[in-house]
Amino acid sequence: MRGRNDSGEENVPLDLTREPSDNMREILQNVAKSHGVSNMRKLGHLNNFVKLLNSVSHCEEKLGFTYEEIIICLRVALLNEVKEVRAAGLRALRYLIHDNSVLQKVLQLQVDYLISRCIDIQQSNEVERTQALRLVRKMITVNAELFPSSLTNTLIAVGNDGLQERDRMVRACIAIICELALKNPKIVAQRGGLSTILKNVIDCQLSRINEALITTILHLLNHPHTRQYIRADVELEQILAPYTDFHYRHSPDTAEAQIKEDREARFLASKMAIIAAFRSWSGIINLCKSGNSGVQSLIGLLCIPNMEVRKALLEVMYEIFRLPVPLVTGDFEEALHSVDPSKFQDSWRLSDGFVAAEAKVILPHRARSRPDLMDNYLALLLSAFINSGLLEGLVEVVTSSDGQISVRATILLGELLHMANTILPHSHSHHLHCLPTLINMAASFDISQEKRLRASAAVNHLKRFHEKKRRGPQPYSLYLDHILHRTSNSTHKREQHQRPQKDIYIMKDTEEALMMNLRDSQILNHKQNLDWNWILIITILKWPNVNLRNNKDEQMHKFVRRLLYFYKPSSKLYSALEVDHAKARQLTVAGCQFNQFLLDSEDDGQAYLEELVKDIVQWLTSSSGLKSERSLHSNGLLSTLSQHYFLFLGTLSAQPAGVKMLEKCGVFQCLLSLCSVKNQDHLLKLTVSTLDYSRDGLARVILSKILTAATDNCRLYATKHLRVLLRANVEFFSNWGMELLVTQLHDHNKTVSMEALDILDEACEEKANLHALIHMKPALSHLGEKGLLLLLRFLSIPKGFSFLNERGYVSKQLDKWQKVYNLKYVDMIEEQLNEALTTYRKPVDGDNYVRRSNQRLQRPNVFLPVHLYGQLVHDKTGCLLLEAQGVIPDLSYTVRSPVLDKWEGIKQLKAALWALGNIGSSNWGLNLLQEENVIPDIIALAQHCEVLSIRGTCVYVLGVISRTRQGSDVLKALGWDSVRHSRRQQWPVVPDEVDAPLPSELSSVPSTLSLNSESTSSRHNSESESQPSLYFMDDDREGLDMYEDSSLGIHTKTSKDRSPFTILTPSHLRNRFLNSLSLPSKKGRSPSDTKITTNAGKSFEELRLMRRNRTITEPSSYSPGHSGNHHRTLVPWWVERVGSPH
């Protein structure tokens, strides 16, 4: 007990060499005496009791007394008038209770009433009450089933009224009630404890505690055995009350002056609880069920003109769908800019994560076909909300609210429509983008002018929003912009550079225009640098075919000399400007263009360029401490445009002539020297982030040296920059980048090696990188489970399978996965989902403490982790191995005969589901599942399983199965739709899923299908009828998975994007999940069967024409492989489609 030695206790000696029974007799006699022994002496004896108990290890024979006798003596201490003695008695009992038998005796002797008295006696007795609560927790730990109702009532009483009485123990009591509810829900429910938990949910504005409270209720809803204790449509819906009840008052004692403040607090607590509820399957299924569901209640509120509730509800919707909340403003452009992912973030500063942090946000992950489980989750959630009328509710808010709320609702509407277009199957989303209500209101004169103008403004705002989405996230910094510009245009630029530039541009009027621009730029007139017309200066520097070689005019040389003087570091003009100067970006762009201009001028510009570069080297050597004149003041580099000189060097390093100039001026030697200088982290970051690595040369040598020889922080940053180069598609990354990453795996700093491992995992999404990694045969065993998962990726291609199989690795892993790793896989995937969806954070370095964060990540990815079976089925040999081991029948048996009474059985079922899902992720594996006919059983679990978390797992698993075209077709026949386009395609062309010939051009507009139509099923089962190729290109190689990246000879550039990244949504979400449709038991077709019927007999020209038979109004990349019979139109999704059914 903390602080017991300074509580005035008398020092009572304890001789542990004596017989334990003698010591025990002395202690119990002194504790039980009512007279003659001081309270402080009793306190000393009680503390000795704990020491004695620990020394004899709870052996009743050695103690010389029965437990019953000991308890009778100790309970006297609980009636002592001194709180310290009572606290010591409680502590002694806690140490005594170690098993069921002792706990039963304590309860038989009715000690629980004395413990209740200690909890309830007086709020100020914190020492005593703390010991009482610790004893209560010990009783729950030993056997929660024996927990007495007397103590339950006491805990609930404190939980109900503690906040009003400012009781500091109220949170501890609520935590114990939650713990008890998980272990013995019956007694908590009988005594009204669940209502206490829910009441405290609305009382708590701390996200971590709020989430823990509501999760307790959601956990009970998950299993049929505990669900009975929660009243349907009553208990969970309480969390919606602050929104649904406009006169809600949490406590009748709230003063009138505090009502507004109290209401805001309740809104916040309710929002946290609602969001947490929608982060769990039990919450989603209970709040989205058909009928009068919680979702419908919330969405219905949007149509009621209560601005306070509307504003609060919009924030809830943003949080539910993981969207950034816009600034509160009536200016649409300002609000839209506030949620732009390209908007500057503090972590992008040079002193923090710099370009590596920015690129991780701006550049997309390399995964094309690997399922992102967050997309499955959001697709189901979005479908439920749309079916409940969310879009119509938002249109009402947009047209009938004041400016700020209307702007927020418009952005939310745009985000949800874009999300629906991206992650919902076509049959569930194609009719959404018409927005008939909004368009009609904008065009109607039957409504008030104010409403009509708002509707019209909203349509224009959605158009603006669409344009922003179409552009995608743009780089904020010039550093990332330069990297992307170099990688995307490197081939084109080299071709242009080699082409003689003498042609049509050199004409008299062009020269006259150039001279006029020179005069108008003011650069020849005065030396006030910042007053020059920099837009014209950039125009002159970019002027076609104009350089010093072609233009010997003295004015041009004067123009160059003025610019040169401005940019030289020794002039302290450009370099002294603040980095956030209004013209900073423009001046730096002009500077890079100036370097390019001098480089293109060849001999005439060489002298000027050499003078500039040597001046930069001089500045670099003096300011970095390589010379003793002065050391670099980091703040100067961080806050001035001097840091942008590295962009000049990077511009030159991207071209052979520029590299020669850098070598001539000693730039590379200077940068190499910097690698070994201490305290130059910022300079090395700039070096790593600006040099061009597309060619073999000194730039790669410098990168390699920084990766291995610099400080921990620099090595980590350089490693992270390799991810930037990977995502930016730097040329030949598989040849040199993979080698650098493998080197980093052996870095002595674990953070660096784990970062390299993570980047390698992403890099292996590209087959070329995976082949390069297998060729290097890296050692991965020292990297733990993540290293093992990367090694398993080798099995997905024949070369890697052979390499591991020859070493006996595959058979050992098969055995381990069947015994242990299938279950570990469930833990791994659920931990990743928890981290993405809740405040939970994974323990670090073996620390068992569960970390939590007050902030949820905005939109994390949860890519499906690698599974042994999922890698083996990429190749026929692996499939045969799985078949020989009898893996699939065993897993199918677990699915068909699940044991749902215990959590171990539920975990076994989840492990089997994930294993089957990974097997079904390729055509080879899918055929094995169809032979076993297990997919209908998975669907039956998804629709009807009593354990709700199993339903969620099944939805994820069906999403994995639908990765291939064949898998999508099988699920379509069973009534489940899936997205059939690559993650990279922002504006996919979607096929018309109609079997009959199209009657006219107008019917090219997609039409709504009957989702249970026989035509879909019959088309799947018919071997002879040709099928539209959807989003896949048929391949002539047998057994190739439809999502593999391969060169097909036709549309080689777009073939990379053809792989289907799939999110699954059931066709009838209103009825929770679909009624099961039976799949005829038949052997699945091999991939080659499909190929025969699709493009057989067509010439190359016919195939080419067939793929061009489409109308596209967006400049999007489309996937090849569509059937020529289906005419498609792609229009902006905010525009109403003429003739589209509603």
Side-chain angles (χ1 to χ4, degrees):
M1 183 175 73
R2 195 179 297 129
R4 61 180 176 273
N5 291 326
D6 56 4
S7 61
E9 81 172 77
E10 195 172 318
N11 187 20
V12 180
L14 175 67
D15 185 2
L16 292 175
T17 58
R18 292 172 60 196
E19 279 294 317
S21 55
D22 295 339
N23 279 327
M24 183 58 73
R25 181 178 293 105
E26 183 185 344
I27 290 168
L28 294 179
Q29 280 176 348
N30 281 281
V31 169
K33 277 184 183 177
S34 56
H35 301 288
V37 181
S38 70
N39 286 325
M40 292 305 103
R41 190 165 182 80
K42 285 184 180 181
L43 182 59
H45 280 294
L46 285 167
N47 290 332
N48 284 345
F49 175 85
V50 173
K51 294 175 189 173
L52 179 63
L53 209 57
N54 288 336
S55 68
V56 297
S57 304
H58 292 279
C59 182
E60 198 172 16
E61 291 77 19
K62 290 182 181 178
L63 294 174
F65 292 88
T66 64
Y67 282 125
E68 194 169 348
E69 291 166 342
I70 294 171
I71 294 164
I72 289 169
C73 292
L74 288 178
R75 73 178 179 181
V76 175
L78 303 188
L79 294 167
N80 195 286
E81 68 274 11
V82 177
K83 62 184 177 185
E84 286 80 9
V85 176
R86 295 197 299 271
L90 291 165
R91 178 171 175 263
L93 279 170
R94 172 159 58 89
Y95 277 90
L96 185 67
I97 298 170
H98 66 280
D99 62 15
N100 274 344
S101 60
V102 181
L103 179 57
Q104 283 172 335
K105 288 182 173 67
V106 167
L107 296 176
Q108 284 165 7
L109 293 167
Q110 298 185 329
V111 178
D112 51 304
Y113 291 101
L114 298 176
I115 300 170
S116 296
R117 177 176 176 268
C118 292
I119 294 173
D120 206 31
I121 191 168
Q122 193 175 340
Q123 281 190 31
S124 59
N125 291 357
E126 287 192 7
V127 174
E128 177 186 0
R129 297 178 83 205
T130 302
Q131 288 300 333
L133 293 179
R134 292 177 77 178
L135 172 56
V136 166
R137 286 203 67 206
K138 180 67 176 284
M139 293 164 77
I140 294 172
T141 306
V142 170
N143 190 343
E145 295 298 322
L146 295 176
F147 198 80
S149 56
S150 57
L151 284 173
T152 309
N153 290 337
T154 305
L155 293 170
I156 290 170
V158 176
N160 281 333
D161 304 322
L163 276 177
Q164 284 80 14
E165 296 172 10
R166 300 187 180 277
D167 189 340
R168 291 177 62 183
M169 292 292 162
V170 65
R171 283 184 181 163
C173 288
I174 293 295
I176 293 169
I177 294 169
C178 288
E179 187 178 2
L180 183 60
L182 298 179
K183 295 187 175 180
N184 185 357
K186 184 177 180 181
I187 192 164
V188 175
Q190 284 175 345
R191 300 295 165 183
L194 299 181
S195 296
T196 303
I197 293 172
L198 284 163
K199 178 178 179 293
N200 277 272
V201 167
I202 307 300
D203 266 327
C204 180
Q205 288 90 48
L206 294 173
S207 60
R208 293 178 294 173
I209 299 175
N210 190 297
E211 185 180 84
L213 295 174
I214 194 65
T215 304
T216 304
I217 303 295
L218 295 169
H219 178 81
L220 298 180
L221 280 169
N222 183 46
H223 201 283
H225 289 175
T226 52
R227 200 178 303 139
Q228 59 181 313
Y229 301 118
I230 297 176
R231 288 172 292 170
D233 304 326
V234 177
E235 303 271 298
L236 192 58
E237 274 73 3
Q238 287 180 35
I239 63 173
L240 309 178
Y243 292 97
T244 53
D245 182 359
F246 290 171
H247 305 289
Y248 181 80
R249 200 178 271 199
H250 191 62
S251 168
D253 304 328
T254 308
E256 287 295 325
Q258 295 178 329
I259 282 180
K260 187 177 180 184
E261 186 183 337
D262 181 72
R263 190 162 176 75
E264 286 176 2
R266 304 307 159 206
F267 272 151
L268 179 60
S270 178
K271 179 177 86 169
M272 290 171 179
I274 291 168
I275 291 162
F278 280 112
R279 297 286 186 259
S280 76
W281 288 107
S282 48
I284 291 171
I285 292 170
N286 277 281
L287 290 173
C288 297
K289 57 177 177 257
S290 57
N292 297 320
S293 67
V295 169
Q296 287 169 327
S297 300
L298 285 178
I299 292 170
L301 291 172
L302 293 174
C303 299
I304 299 171
N306 184 317
M307 297 307 146
E308 185 186 20
V309 172
R310 279 184 176 180
K311 182 185 174 186
L313 261 182
L314 287 177
E315 288 184 10
V316 173
M317 297 300 169
Y318 273 104
E319 291 270 359
I320 285 173
F321 292 105
R322 313 305 298 263
L323 299 167
V325 183
L327 206 63
V328 180
T329 173
D331 184 344
F332 179 79
E333 289 296 329
E334 189 183 355
L336 189 58
H337 177 69
S338 70
V339 294
D340 188 350
S342 308
K343 187 186 172 191
F344 176 74
Q345 298 177 18
D346 287 337
S347 62
W348 299 355
R349 296 184 191 281
L350 175 57
S351 56
D352 202 339
F354 200 38
V355 180
E358 182 185 359
K360 204 166 182 182
V361 174
I362 300 292
L363 302 182
H365 193 280
R366 297 303 295 167
R368 291 190 184 90
S369 61
R370 195 172 176 184
D372 181 356
L373 302 182
M374 283 297 296
D375 286 327
N376 294 67
Y377 158 77
L378 284 172
L380 198 74
L381 205 55
L382 182 59
S383 187
F385 273 81
I386 288 173
N387 282 342
S388 297
L390 177 58
L391 299 186
E392 292 80 0
L394 287 175
V395 168
E396 180 61 31
V397 174
V398 167
T399 54
S400 63
S401 301
D402 60 40
Q404 294 180 351
I405 294 174
S406 180
V407 163
R408 274 198 171 185
T410 305
I411 292 176
L412 180 59
L413 184 61
E415 289 280 13
L416 294 181
L417 287 173
H418 178 68
M419 192 185 288
N421 189 58
T422 311
I423 66 173
L424 281 187
H426 176 58
S427 56
H428 287 251
S429 64
H430 70 270
H431 58 286
L432 303 177
H433 314 304
C434 312
L435 290 180
T437 315
L438 188 61
I439 301 292
N440 289 339
M441 289 173 85
S444 171
F445 287 89
D446 298 332
I447 60 173
S448 67
Q449 185 183 12
E450 186 185 13
K451 264 199 167 188
R452 187 171 70 252
L453 290 174
R454 279 180 179 163
S456 182
V459 171
N460 290 327
H461 289 159
L462 287 173
K463 178 180 184 293
R464 176 79 186 88
F465 180 88
H466 165 71
E467 288 166 354
K468 204 169 187 72
K469 283 290 183 185
R470 184 179 62 191
R471 279 201 309 273
Q474 300 298 311
Y476 172 83
S477 70
L478 283 170
Y479 299 98
L480 183 57
D481 189 54
H482 269 234
I483 292 168
L484 296 179
H485 188 67
R486 283 201 301 261
T487 54
S488 61
N489 295 324
S490 56
T491 311
H492 175 66
K493 276 192 162 186
R494 280 200 300 276
E495 287 171 0
Q496 272 196 335
H497 194 67
Q498 291 159 6
R499 200 184 303 136
Q501 301 188 357
K502 285 182 184 172
D503 27 27
I504 60 169
Y505 294 112
I506 303 178
M507 296 184 298
K508 191 176 179 184
D509 59 340
T510 309
E511 289 181 8
E512 286 175 0
L514 176 65
M515 290 302 122
M516 189 173 71
N517 282 335
L518 267 176
R519 285 193 303 274
D520 293 346
S521 69
Q522 305 293 317
I523 195 168
L524 305 176
N525 302 347
H526 60 79
K527 295 184 180 180
Q528 301 300 316
N529 320 102
L530 297 178
D531 294 335
W532 294 342
N533 189 329
W534 284 97
I535 295 173
L536 278 182
I537 291 170
I538 293 171
T539 305
I540 294 164
L541 292 171
K542 286 184 175 181
W543 202 278
N545 270 345
V546 170
N547 51 47
L548 295 177
R549 180 164 47 89
N550 297 331
N551 198 314
K552 305 290 185 183
D553 190 90
E554 177 55 32
Q555 283 189 310
M556 181 59 77
H557 280 268
K558 187 178 179 183
F559 168 80
V560 169
R561 283 195 297 273
R562 287 266 170 103
L563 280 178
L564 180 64
Y565 183 76
F566 174 69
Y567 281 113
K568 282 170 65 175
S570 56
S571 306
K572 294 182 181 170
L573 294 171
Y574 170 77
S575 60
L577 291 171
E578 292 294 312
V579 77
D580 55 359
H581 188 278
K583 288 191 174 181
R585 191 179 186 93
Q586 196 177 48
L587 296 173
T588 303
V589 169
C592 293
Q593 195 61 44
F594 181 53
N595 278 269
Q596 186 67 50
F597 176 85
L598 294 177
L599 199 59
D600 291 341
S601 298
E602 296 182 2
D603 295 342
D604 299 86
Q606 290 291 309
Y608 292 123
L609 185 59
E610 189 173 335
E611 186 181 343
L612 175 62
V613 174
K614 282 186 175 176
D615 206 56
I616 292 173
V617 173
Q618 178 72 21
W619 162 79
L620 200 56
T621 51
S622 63
S623 62
S624 64
L626 294 180
K627 286 188 177 179
S628 56
E629 291 132 44
R630 65 185 181 86
S631 180
L632 173 76
H633 193 269
S634 288
N635 292 335
L637 187 71
L638 291 173
S639 60
T640 65
L641 287 182
S642 56
Q643 60 176 260
H644 287 176
Y645 283 127
F646 284 88
L647 284 170
F648 295 5
L649 302 179
T651 302
L652 296 174
S653 73
Q655 296 176 52
V659 171
K660 286 178 184 174
M661 176 59 71
L662 295 177
E663 287 176 359
K664 183 179 178 182
C665 298
V667 172
F668 289 125
Q669 290 74 7
C670 175
L671 294 176
L672 274 168
S673 306
L674 275 176
C675 296
S676 50
V677 178
K678 290 183 179 179
N679 302 321
Q680 299 299 342
D681 289 6
H682 301 321
L683 281 174
L684 293 183
K685 271 184 174 181
L686 288 163
T687 303
V688 167
S689 303
T690 50
L691 291 180
D692 180 76
Y693 305 105
S694 57
R695 294 177 188 79
D696 194 11
L698 285 169
R700 288 188 193 170
V701 173
I702 291 169
L703 177 61
S704 181
K705 187 168 181 183
I706 293 173
L707 281 165
T708 51
T711 61
D712 284 5
N713 285 338
C714 280
R715 292 201 317 280
L716 179 59
Y717 179 81
T719 306
K720 286 180 176 179
H721 190 72
L722 290 173
R723 192 197 299 272
V724 181
L725 301 176
L726 169 70
R727 291 190 180 183
N729 265 329
V730 172
E731 288 184 295
F732 311 117
F733 186 84
S734 58
N735 293 355
W736 57 273
M738 296 297 286
E739 193 174 332
L740 293 176
L741 282 169
V742 168
T743 306
Q744 296 308 92
L745 294 177
H746 303 282
D747 194 284
H748 61 82
N749 185 321
K750 191 180 177 185
T751 310
V752 175
S753 59
M754 296 313 286
E755 182 68 24
L757 185 64
D758 190 52
I759 299 167
L760 278 171
D761 180 58
E762 182 175 341
C764 286
E765 296 292 331
E766 312 258 342
K767 288 286 184 274
N769 293 335
L770 183 56
H771 277 284
L773 186 64
I774 292 169
H775 183 71
M776 284 183 268
K777 300 176 182 174
L780 299 169
S781 55
H782 66 288
L783 296 165
E785 287 183 2
K786 286 190 175 179
L788 164 73
L789 295 181
L790 183 61
L791 197 59
L792 291 181
R793 278 180 167 267
F794 288 19
L795 299 172
S796 64
I797 55 177
K799 184 181 173 184
F801 182 87
S802 305
F803 167 66
L804 292 177
N805 199 34
E806 285 164 8
R807 288 156 178 75
Y809 182 81
V810 180
S811 54
K812 285 179 189 172
Q813 282 301 312
L814 272 169
D815 191 46
K816 281 183 180 177
W817 276 78
Q818 279 182 297
K819 289 178 181 174
V820 180
Y821 285 149
N822 274 330
L823 291 171
K824 274 190 176 181
Y825 189 82
V826 177
D827 293 334
M828 185 198 316
I829 236 169
E830 294 194 345
E831 185 171 57
Q832 286 182 24
L833 284 167
N834 285 340
E835 203 165 0
L837 293 169
T838 70
T839 59
Y840 167 83
R841 293 293 172 266
K842 189 161 52 177
V844 182
D845 294 331
D847 180 9
N848 290 324
Y849 176 69
V850 175
R851 300 180 183 281
R852 292 185 176 272
S853 163
N854 281 323
Q855 292 184 333
R856 294 178 177 86
L857 301 174
Q858 202 53 58
R859 173 63 172 84
N861 295 315
V862 182
F863 291 110
L864 186 73
V866 176
H867 193 291
L868 173 69
Y869 300 165
Q871 299 304 300
L872 285 173
V873 293
H874 282 261
D875 188 67
K876 190 173 183 179
T877 318
C879 278
L880 292 172
L881 188 62
L882 281 177
E883 205 170 8
Q885 294 272 335
V887 168
I888 295 161
D890 290 348
L891 297 171
S892 301
Y893 177 78
T894 306
V895 169
R896 287 173 181 139
S897 309
V899 180
L900 300 176
D901 292 338
K902 296 182 179 177
W903 291 111
E904 292 79 11
I906 291 171
K907 192 173 177 181
Q908 288 280 1
L909 175 58
K910 286 181 180 178
L913 287 167
W914 282 117
L916 289 168
N918 276 280
I919 290 169
S921 64
S922 81
N923 284 339
W924 289 111
L926 187 68
N927 289 335
L928 295 177
L929 296 191
Q930 285 186 279
E931 286 173 14
E932 193 62 35
N933 198 29
V934 73
I935 296 176
D937 298 306
I938 297 174
I939 286 177
L941 282 175
Q943 294 164 200
H944 307 299
C945 185
E946 286 295 308
V947 180
L948 304 184
S949 61
I950 293 293
R951 295 195 198 185
T953 302
C954 290
V955 169
Y956 288 136
V957 166
L958 290 172
V960 178
I961 290 172
S962 64
R963 285 174 70 184
T964 62
R965 171 185 160 185
Q966 188 180 343
S968 290
D969 289 344
V970 169
L971 291 171
K972 179 69 179 172
L974 290 163
W976 285 69
D977 296 334
S978 54
V979 170
R980 302 187 179 207
H981 60 80
S982 156
R983 185 176 284 112
R984 297 282 178 82
Q985 287 177 275
Q986 270 199 310
W987 314 107
V989 180
V990 184
D992 294 335
E993 298 176 3
V994 181
D995 293 333
L998 297 174
S1000 70
E1001 288 298 311
L1002 281 176
S1003 59
S1004 65
V1005 178
S1007 57
T1008 307
L1009 285 176
S1010 167
L1011 296 174
N1012 292 331
S1013 64
E1014 292 178 11
S1015 59
T1016 310
S1017 174
S1018 63
R1019 183 179 66 191
H1020 172 79
N1021 293 325
S1022 167
E1023 296 291 346
S1024 58
E1025 191 174 351
S1026 68
Q1027 300 182 25
S1029 299
L1030 301 174
Y1031 284 86
F1032 308 92
M1033 206 170 214
D1034 293 315
D1035 202 307
D1036 294 326
R1037 287 185 298 159
E1038 184 174 334
L1040 183 73
D1041 295 338
M1042 302 307 289
Y1043 52 84
E1044 283 187 358
D1045 296 334
S1046 57
S1047 179
L1048 302 174
I1050 305 174
H1051 297 290
T1052 51
K1053 286 185 181 177
T1054 53
S1055 67
K1056 287 184 181 178
D1057 283 344
R1058 65 191 171 81
S1059 40
F1061 118 88
T1062 307
I1063 309 97
L1064 211 89
T1065 306
S1067 299
H1068 292 153
L1069 203 77
R1070 288 184 189 279
N1071 299 325
R1072 217 182 284 173
F1073 292 112
L1074 273 176
N1075 293 323
S1076 181
L1077 296 176
S1078 60
L1079 176 71
S1081 177
K1082 74 178 190 70
K1083 188 170 179 178
R1085 291 177 295 170
S1086 71
S1088 55
D1089 296 334
T1090 312
K1091 292 190 272 274
I1092 295 168
T1093 63
T1094 310
N1095 291 331
K1098 288 186 172 66
S1099 68
F1100 175 87
E1101 189 62 19
E1102 286 173 323
L1103 284 171
R1104 188 176 65 79
L1105 289 171
M1106 182 178 76
R1107 283 171 176 79
R1108 293 188 63 184
N1109 186 18
R1110 67 186 73 247
T1111 306
I1112 300 181
T1113 60
E1114 282 297 338
S1116 65
S1117 60
Y1118 66 95
S1119 291
H1122 301 290
S1123 167
N1125 297 328
H1126 294 265
H1127 212 63
R1128 297 165 199 75
T1129 306
L1130 184 66
V1131 297
W1133 42 260
W1134 48 268
V1135 176
E1136 183 172 6
R1137 288 176 177 169
V1138 180
S1140 171
H1142 302 313

